[in-house]
Amino acid sequence: MNASALRQLLPGLVLVAAITAVAHFLGEQFPLMGGAVAGILLGLAIRSRFKISETQLPGVRFAGKQLLQWSIVGLGLALPIGAVLDTGLKSLSVTLVTLSLAFASAFVFGRLLKIPTKLCVLIGGGTAICGGSAIAAMTPVVKPDDHETAFSLSTIFLFNIVAVLTFPVLGQWLGLSDSGFGLWAGTAINDTSSVVAAAYSWSKEAGDYATIVKLSRAMLIIPVTLILSFVFTRRNAVNADGSAAKRPGIRHAIPGFILCFVIASLFNGYLPQALTSAAHSVSTVLITAALTAIGLSTDLGKMKHTGWRPIALGLLVWITVAASSLLMQHLGGHW
């Protein structure tokens, strides 16, 4: 990053850093809430009262995306690859069931609500896999209209916020263990940022478990995108000008930070305990900063204009995924 780019990002990063410091303090004072939840609430509150200036937006957007990805890589340094593989395999059955039910419920409820097929696919995939990343990966294949992409992103993000705020409370009420809550958060919350925020507000053990489950789940972008590419090939075979449509390379569907997480985890066994502990602490602060930036980037007013049908669909699919995850845990003895 050159000096000019850094100067462009600095105003927004300073704003995020200041709010993150307050959120981190509140998280220490109120451990049940945690710094990440405090950060997103402060960000939302500030954005609802004040307009973020044009000079601050680049830095805020950078923090919301890049800092989150860096934090995930940092968590990889603190997690041994053996634990990653073991947890990923143990959670696979729950993940596959919730994925299947997410798409099935999206189509069933979408038909009842008379929602277009492409919007159903985006909401179902975003809920099933990893929120905005899944929607971004599916968009070149599904080729939805711009408003459908916006509706799906707004709907998914709404329930990300709801999950961060409600899952820890519901988990306490249900009496979930650390691993049980981690598995629930990792399979039933949409976006990576929301998963780590909710799970680490519960406990470090739950956060580590949920992070692995979530990243294992995110890898399902690859087969899902391949299947959707096959399904939508005939529909999207020709461009508007009559030329053959170009298929997106599948390598673009693999989030780079997931691969970096795996590589970082491979190095865990060769690093001293002090370094891995420091990596985990820094990652926790970066997560708080990323959630703060996401809160600052969210215009709740625009979300009101998406209409009630996509939101209703998102709610129904989300409830289906959350309930099926708990049911699978109960049947498998994870609870």
Side-chain angles (χ1 to χ4, degrees):
M1 183 182 297
N2 57 41
S4 176
L6 183 58
R7 282 195 298 270
Q8 187 179 18
L9 297 177
L10 196 58
L13 292 177
V14 169
L15 174 64
V16 171
I19 300 172
T20 298
V22 176
H24 186 69
F25 172 77
L26 291 174
E28 291 183 335
Q29 301 304 308
F30 304 98
L32 185 61
M33 175 175 64
V37 176
I40 197 169
L41 289 176
L42 286 173
L44 287 168
I46 292 171
R47 177 60 188 264
S48 66
R49 297 294 301 273
F50 306 98
K51 183 179 180 180
I52 306 301
S53 70
E54 291 297 324
T55 58
Q56 292 172 324
L57 278 176
V60 170
R61 289 170 179 162
F62 176 87
K65 182 178 181 180
Q66 295 300 324
L67 293 187
L68 172 66
Q69 296 182 1
W70 293 348
S71 72
I72 296 299
V73 176
L75 291 175
L77 289 173
L79 294 170
I81 189 64
V84 172
L85 294 174
D86 182 60
T87 300
L89 290 174
K90 285 181 178 178
S91 65
L92 186 60
S93 60
V94 179
T95 299
L96 291 177
V97 168
T98 55
L99 172 73
S100 302
L101 289 177
F103 276 106
S105 60
F107 282 110
V108 172
F109 293 131
R111 177 161 294 187
L112 292 174
L113 291 168
K114 299 180 179 179
I115 292 176
T117 299
K118 291 182 179 181
L119 184 54
C120 291
V121 170
L122 294 181
I123 291 177
T127 304
I129 307 173
C130 56
S133 298
I135 291 172
M138 292 186 295
T139 294
V141 173
V142 178
K143 296 187 182 300
D145 294 333
D146 288 343
H147 73 276
E148 291 178 320
T149 302
F151 281 3
S152 61
L153 287 170
S154 298
T155 301
I156 291 298
F157 187 77
L158 172 64
F159 292 108
N160 284 336
I161 296 173
V162 173
V164 170
L165 300 178
T166 61
F167 264 49
V169 177
L170 291 173
Q172 292 280 359
W173 180 66
L174 292 168
L176 294 176
S177 63
D178 287 338
S179 61
F181 185 81
L183 181 56
W184 189 37
T187 53
I189 301 179
N190 309 331
D191 197 69
T192 304
S193 59
S194 303
V195 170
V196 296
Y200 278 109
S201 70
W202 179 275
S203 72
K204 178 184 179 299
E205 292 74 17
D208 290 347
Y209 201 95
T211 299
I212 298 170
V213 172
K214 179 66 187 69
L215 295 181
S216 301
R217 171 182 163 203
M219 291 301 291
L220 292 174
I221 290 177
I222 302 169
V224 167
T225 305
L226 282 171
I227 292 169
L228 289 176
S229 178
F230 176 77
V231 171
F232 282 88
T233 292
R234 292 183 179 179
R235 298 187 185 188
N236 301 329
V238 180
N239 290 320
D241 60 1
S243 61
K246 181 181 179 181
R247 294 187 188 182
I250 197 63
R251 64 184 180 85
H252 296 297
I254 308 173
F257 72 92
I258 296 179
L259 298 179
C260 291
F261 168 86
V262 174
I263 294 171
S265 184
L266 286 169
F267 283 97
N268 172 269
Y270 303 98
L271 300 176
Q273 179 66 37
L275 182 57
T276 58
S277 296
H280 192 282
S281 297
V282 171
S283 295
T284 302
V285 175
L286 291 178
I287 289 167
T288 300
L291 267 289
T292 298
I294 289 171
L296 288 170
S297 303
T298 304
D299 188 344
L300 295 177
K302 287 185 178 179
M303 294 178 70
K304 295 178 181 178
H305 300 297
T306 61
W308 69 271
R309 292 178 190 272
I311 293 176
L313 176 61
L315 174 62
L316 291 169
V317 176
W318 182 58
I319 290 174
T320 300
V321 170
S324 62
S325 175
L326 287 174
L327 178 60
M328 285 296 294
Q329 283 197 61
H330 181 68
L331 295 175
H334 296 289
W335 198 326

